[in-house]
Amino acid sequence: MPSLPQTIRRATLSLMLTGGMLHAADAEPRHTEDHTMPQATIQNYHGSPGLFINEQPLFPMILFEQEIAPKDARTFQEAGVKLYSFIEKTSFLDLGWTDDYTTDYSIMERVLSTTAQRCPNGYFLPRIHLWAPDWWLEKHPEEAFFGHDESDKRNESFASELWLEQAGAALRRMVRYIEDSPYADQVIGVVLSTAQGGEWHQYGVDNTPAMERYFRNYLRNRYRNNLESLREAWQDDTVTFDNATTPDESELYAEDYGIFKDPALGRRCMDYWEAYHQVTVDAIDHFCRIVKDESNGRLLTVTLYGYSPDMNWHEKYIHHRAAGAAHRLTSLDAIAGPHTYHRRGPGKDGALRNYPASLALHGKLFIDEADDRTHLSFPKNWATLCNNLWESQQVLRRSFGNVVCANSGMWYMDHSSGEWYDAPALREDFKRINRWADYSMQLPRREIAEVAVISQPQSEFYLGGHLDWTSNMYEAEQGQLEDLCRSGAPFSKFLIDDLADGLIPDHKVYIFLDCFFLTDAERRAVEQLKRDGKTLIWYYAPGFVTEHSLSLDGMKQLTGLDFTVQDSGGVVVNLEQPTGRGLQRFGLPERLLEQADLVENCMKTELSPRFVPAADASGTMVIGRYADTGDPAMVSRKFADWTSVYVPMTPVPAEVLREIFRDAGVHIYLESNDNLAANAAWLCITAPEAGTKTVKLPEALDVYDVTGDTLIGRRLTEFQLPMQEKETKILAVGKNLPEPPKSTITE
């Protein structure tokens, strides 16, 4: 790719950097006429956001390593992969600013130079860490606080105007250096990172003076400078916009009623959490705008943010709770993040830990971080789940299958930079996978899910306790995502903000997983779904928190069900036996109801309060009862135009979900509890158990098994798929499929 003059400029710049320092004045433009600058953009392509380079679409297949290892560089270059992202092994590729405010680019120069030599035909997305260096934190202790990370070190406040200004200036100089360097013809964007893991996970509750200033400004905007509105909301006649303070942890984690915080007793904590998470998005926007401004819009901006909650062991500040605001940033092009850490082993779903469908509504690309450890990873730890080469192949294939079904991009990530993929069979597999990726660009990239999972991340603001409670509803042993993946029907995840803005297309089933709190606008949007035979599924305390109080009426208006409340904690739910009504309405066969793990202790957790839905209204069916009292727990009510299903706690078994979906008219691809992802052109199936799987398609389609290099048939509505235990199969489906790529590699 680089021309001879470009190579000469690279050598010249290396000589300039012998001293290791560049001042801001040194970073003046050094462009020459032969400097080719690639333009990367995110545009709609075949139904979803796609990556374009110089107006040509390219599947976002990326290799990410600390520094691209020589062996892996050869492997991925030979496979045809064109995209590379990286940090540096000791500095994590930070801004390189020094205590006299000069900037040291020697590390960035070395990493760019080495990567360019190893990947001469590649495009680069360096990951730049924005955190403040130790000298800065010592010099400005009032702008930082001691976090709860493993080292308990001092960290910058995201609200620090001084950090934003000075780190921003350092970023501006670094972008200018990249743009004016000989490597600009290969750099197409940057990944902006900071905080824990470089993933914008806050370090702890922030009570710095900087955060207090931000909080007061946030309150002025939220309450439109109306002091009476603030005092009424806080239930405090003494508070002003000039004396409001941030709450401490004891106040934030206190519980007013069971696990809930009551807005009627004051919104100080809820307002703080809103500001606390918004400040992260504001910081992301600040730095992204600098990149766009300094590169004249040429460089893509990528960050790691907006994960669906899954760290149920961690204190509640850890998760990203302003994803809706991040999705709406005009300065941000793509969001990345790793898939679930709970079910990564062979035979599991490896589900994406983000909201790709929601991002697509805003023209943004999602990039999955596939950092699955292969059998070659060392030392072995809790995340090393593959025992042999075959299992590693299945996991790496599953990562691609999940991504292509979500119309997203991905980076394979080897933390060791050279060990995890060091096997001839894996090198051949990466060639195959990149050929499948190229092939996917010929096919439709549309969502086809008829089930929508709606998330309200800010519901956590209305819960007390130290731990991130809603994580249990998504992941871990009591999470719902595992059974959703095994329900036989694909699903898409959206944010409640998208529903309120009227952006979500029609689905047949809407699952409100953590929508305990809803604004008035969000409630109005939900009301518009109660039509055309749709089924709405509610979990635990839907709408219990209004903008002003805790309200059973709020639950009734939302769900169409009456509730009583019991203060005692502990939810154990048994499904109804197949007598009378109950699950017969959903067609569950008696053999399933006879299984102890479905009938007894189907849903079990400890919480308070407990909500008991009424079962005496017309059209109401009892699906499950509380084990200790026999009171109705899980019920369904059929209205004229829609169906309401109330669930007291996760997880509803896949078999039960499947029958609820079927009753709503959702197409079921699989009855066999295998993990499924699907879009208009692809199916990815991962088998927990061996067997012949019966796959039913919604219409007559051609089916090609790309993992087995086999045409299964044309114009099929149903076919058989033999699978080994823990095997992943990736299938291309469509009408008049173009010739698929051959898996056999011929050099």
Side-chain angles (χ1 to χ4, degrees), residues 482-500:
E482 179 175 13
D483 284 278
L484 277 167
C485 291
R486 298 175 66 172
S487 68
F491 61 94
S492 296
K493 292 195 294 182
F494 298 95
L495 296 170
I496 193 72
D497 315 57
D498 303 320
L499 187 67

Side-chain angles (χ1 to χ4, degrees), residues 689-732:
E689 298 177 355
T692 298
K693 319 298 179 179
T694 299
V695 184
K696 296 181 180 180
L697 300 174
E699 58 181 326
L701 299 172
D702 301 344
V703 181
Y704 193 90
D705 174 8
V706 298
T707 43
D709 194 16
T710 303
L711 176 66
I712 294 177
R714 297 194 181 277
R715 305 292 294 168
L716 301 177
T717 57
E718 181 177 319
F719 60 93
Q720 306 297 307
L721 189 67
M723 294 186 70
Q724 301 178 54
E725 180 184 356
K726 301 180 181 179
E727 185 178 12
T728 290
K729 286 283 190 181
I730 303 171
L731 311 171

Side-chain angles (χ1 to χ4, degrees), residues 462-482:
Y462 298 84
L463 303 178
H466 283 256
L467 299 181
D468 194 319
W469 191 85
T470 55
S471 295
N472 291 315
M473 304 199 73
Y474 287 86
E475 301 284 357
E477 293 180 359
Q478 293 297 315
Q480 189 62 75
L481 286 187
E482 179 175 13

Side-chain angles (χ1 to χ4, degrees), residues 588-702:
L588 269 185
E590 186 168 340
R591 63 178 176 81
L592 293 179
L593 291 168
E594 291 172 349
Q595 296 179 20
D597 61 339
L598 286 179
V599 177
E600 297 180 8
N601 299 351
C602 166
M603 291 161 271
K604 182 177 181 180
T605 192
E606 296 294 325
L607 51 80
S608 179
R610 171 192 292 185
F611 298 96
V612 180
D616 54 357
S618 63
T620 303
M621 304 278 181
V622 176
I623 303 173
R625 296 183 181 274
Y626 291 112
D628 56 347
T629 65
D631 291 329
M634 183 176 176
V635 304
S636 167
R637 186 177 181 188
K638 190 80 170 180
F639 294 91
D641 296 323
W642 67 289
T643 297
S644 180
V645 178
Y646 173 74
V647 179
M649 185 42 54
T650 56
V652 178
E655 295 88 345
V656 180
L657 288 173
R658 188 153 51 245
E659 299 309 326
I660 295 174
F661 295 168
R662 196 191 318 275
D663 188 66
V666 172
H667 177 76
I668 305 298
Y669 286 81
L670 289 164
E671 306 281 350
S672 48
N673 276 17
D674 295 290
N675 296 298
L676 171 74
N679 71 356
W682 295 91
L683 298 176
C684 179
I685 301 172
T686 298
E689 298 177 355
T692 298
K693 319 298 179 179
T694 299
V695 184
K696 296 181 180 180
L697 300 174
E699 58 181 326
L701 299 172
D702 301 344

